[in-house]
Structures are given as structure tokens and as C-alpha cells.
Amino acid sequence: MKFPLLPVCLLFILTACSKDHDGVIDGAALPKQSQYLQGSWKSYSYYEGTGNGGEKIWNLTDGSTRITFGADSTYTNTSDPAYDHFILRALGTDTILQVYAKGQPGRDTGNFFISINTNTLTLGSRLCIEGCGEKYVRLQ
């Protein structure tokens, strides 16, 4: 009796491999517009470049950081209260989130590539040469 190994091997390979290491279901991708950014978000995971050009490895956070984006462009961050407002700016085909320190309306102090999904917000710092970023989950 012949045993069909190929289908079994393919099934094993396809179900055993996953690139999503943090377990959060992102949901549908949303346009990079401020109305989809509005609300409160809780930190979930972060990554820092390893320097070897390998895959991003997301590490869980303690979830204590909360960020909030208001309809009036206000911004709060429980880990760093120095920032108080934001704008989204087109840069080629990307959209950049710029956050500003209090009393610094024309001088951006943080620049992030963003990805907004139904349940998650990913911020990738433009300052990290080998990549670094944070992932937040939307608070209901």
C-alpha cells in the first residue's frame, strides 16, 4: 500500500510555519489617515534590528504605555509626556507620523513610518538604521 507522503509533508510545512510571532490579529489594513489613527492604543510589542539583516523578532512589552491621538491633532504618551500634538505627512508613497514636543509647533521631534489596521498600529522609527518599531493594540 502506497502512502501519499507529498500531501502530508505539504500540509505539515504550511501549517507549522508562521511569521506572526506576537499572536495579535491585525484585521483589515486601513488608509493612513488621522480619522483611523484617532483613539487610544496600548503598547503590545517592539523590535530592534539585530544587525544581521534577519527577520524582525517582536518582543512583548508590559503593556503599560498608552498613546492617544485626538481629532484635534492632540497626542499623549504615558511613557513620554513631552509630546502633545501630531500630524500625518505624505512622503512619496509612504505616510509619516510626526509628533511634536510641547511649545515646538514647527519642529518635529519624532518621525515614524506607520501601518494602521483595524486592531493594530505599527510605528517604525525613521532614525534606526537597522530597524526598530513598536506595535500597539487599539483600546475599545
Side-chain angles (χ1 to χ4, degrees), residues 6-56:
L6 183 60
V8 172
C9 290
L10 286 174
L11 181 64
F12 177 75
I13 290 170
L14 293 175
T15 59
C17 298
S18 173
K19 292 186 183 241
D20 186 9
H21 299 291
D22 60 18
V24 171
I25 298 172
D26 291 333
L30 298 174
K32 297 173 184 176
Q33 299 171 355
S34 61
Q35 69 260 30
Y36 299 109
L37 190 61
Q38 290 172 16
S40 295
W41 303 82
K42 176 179 83 167
S43 64
Y44 183 76
S45 59
Y46 71 96
Y47 79 90
E48 295 174 328
T50 59
N52 63 5
E55 182 179 353
K56 295 177 192 172

Side-chain angles (χ1 to χ4, degrees), residues 111-128:
N111 289 280
F112 304 92
F113 293 107
I114 65 169
S115 172
I116 307 171
N117 291 67
T118 306
N119 302 316
T120 60
L121 168 66
T122 305
L123 302 178
S125 176
R126 293 186 64 208
L127 299 178
C128 296

Side-chain angles (χ1 to χ4, degrees), residues 66-114:
R66 304 281 197 278
I67 58 175
T68 303
F69 298 93
D72 59 352
S73 296
T74 55
Y75 170 82
T76 60
N77 181 331
T78 58
S79 291
D80 194 346
Y83 304 104
D84 69 352
H85 62 287
F86 76 96
I87 61 168
L88 291 175
R89 212 177 278 267
L91 180 65
T93 58
D94 278 317
T95 301
I96 304 299
L97 168 67
Q98 295 178 300
V99 294
Y100 294 86
K102 295 175 183 175
Q104 303 285 329
R107 190 175 136 211
D108 59 318
T109 52
N111 289 280
F112 304 92
F113 293 107
I114 65 169

